[in-house]
DNA sequence: GCCATTTATCTCGCACACGATACAATCGAT
DNA sequence: ATCGATTGTATCGTGTGCGAGATAAATGGC
């Protein structure tokens, strides 16, 4: 078997790593207009889908730990987009709820995904969906080791 | 046209974002053994491919700016893996060179990519290469807007 | 009911990542 | 030769991400 050339282009992880940075750069202008960072944006998307969730449940959805989410959620709280309240039934848990401003932001955020539509110009939507699902499966395979 | 469900699973960017975190977690044990973080590892891979490069050239390869690379390279210098020297011919530039220890690490790092081989178990290598190339093309499309 | 264990969240320290900015070296037009 | 513009790198501030450890609430065995 021939030696594998040790070049960055050969690494799936580097393709993912560098594509992640590219997505961040591409989304930045649209997110700046909303006053959100990318992790804050995906957190809001998760909350727009399902409101009134615990920090832990949100972390499961976003693949993030509480030590990352807690400060992020405090910033969203400072921005007036969410509230953080201890669950009276189980005071260990903190429940995250959207404020009116947080719900209202969903409308203004509607155009954010189109910020990168240029990169998909001319591509078959089914191909994009397939690519997305393959990456998600790879992620799940890595996470369940 | 039907409303697109605003769910994280629908976003290619989130698939990439969460897969990136999964790769980091999967590589961490192997990289801890080398005393490297993931960005430090890809920097070393780039240097193993081509040594004696400027900070800017390295950044082009890694899609990183000098404000990220400079402190990272200083840490690699502190670890004794690289040297940073002003180019006498153009003192604006800093040339990065591997030390003997930096070159020697390449051998110990040989097994790192296999740290995640389990996630690819049973997959066609050609399919993996195709996936990698599609992600790279997507990155390039996003970066050239 | 009591106490060890578990669970959910938080705090802290370190390392990215990047925008904004600073600075010195170089280049270029005159 | 000079000086304004450009280039290459570094510094600073903000916001992730996560490991390690702290804390408080809930649970379970007895």
């Amino acid at each position: 078997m021939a030696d594998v050339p040790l070049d960055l282009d050969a690494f799936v992880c580097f393709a993912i790593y560098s594509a992640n940075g590219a997505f961040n750069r591409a989304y930045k202008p649209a997110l700046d207009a909303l006053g959100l960072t990318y992790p804050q944006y995906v957190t809001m998307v998760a909350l727009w889908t399902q409101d009134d969730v615990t920090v832990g449940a949100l972390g499961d959805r976003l693949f993030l730990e509480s030590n990352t989410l807690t400060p992020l959620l405090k910033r969203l709280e400072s921005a007036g987009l969410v509230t953080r309240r201890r669950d009276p039934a189980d005071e260990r848990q903190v429940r995250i709820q959207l404020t009116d401003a947080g719900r209202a932001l969903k409308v203004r955020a509607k155009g954010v995904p189109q910020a990168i539509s240029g990169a998909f110009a001319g591509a078959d939507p089914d191909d994009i969906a397939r690519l997305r699902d393959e990456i998600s499966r790879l992620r799940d395979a890595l996470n369940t080791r």
Side-chain angles (χ1 to χ4, degrees), chain A:
Chain A
M1 181 167 37
D3 260 14
V4 177
L6 190 59
D7 190 9
L8 285 177
D9 294 332
F11 289 73
V12 179
C13 59
F14 181 70
I16 296 275
Y17 168 72
S18 52
N20 185 52
F23 267 110
N24 268 292
R25 280 187 285 277
Y27 271 118
K28 184 128 210 316
L31 292 179
D32 278 350
L34 302 179
L36 294 175
T37 65
Y38 181 76
Q40 288 168 7
Y41 169 67
V42 290
T43 302
M44 291 302 290
V45 171
L47 289 170
W48 289 328
T49 305
Q50 191 187 3
D51 198 358
D52 190 22
V53 289
T54 65
V55 174
L58 204 48
D60 288 345
R61 191 88 190 75
L62 299 169
F63 304 95
L64 294 173
E65 308 292 325
S66 70
N67 48 10
T68 298
L69 270 180
T70 295
L72 186 154
L73 290 168
K74 284 187 173 179
R75 282 179 213 107
L76 291 180
E77 187 183 36
S78 300
L81 297 174
V82 306
T83 59
R84 300 164 56 250
R85 242 172 293 165
R86 290 273 162 193
D87 187 333
D90 184 344
E91 296 235 333
R92 288 172 306 179
Q93 299 184 140
V94 170
R95 302 198 75 84
I96 309 299
Q97 286 182 279
L98 289 168
T99 62
D100 288 343
R103 269 182 295 274
L105 194 65
K106 182 177 183 178
V107 180
R108 283 213 294 141
K110 215 154 206 170
V112 171
Q114 272 105 60
I116 52 149
S117 57
F120 294 112
D124 182 346
D126 288 347
D127 286 343
I128 297 171
R130 243 187 305 279
L131 177 63
R132 182 198 65 206
D133 293 343
E134 279 179 45
I135 297 167
S136 300
R137 269 197 300 277
L138 178 53
R139 172 201 62 208
D140 295 339
L142 289 167
N143 274 334
T144 58
R145 284 154 49 83

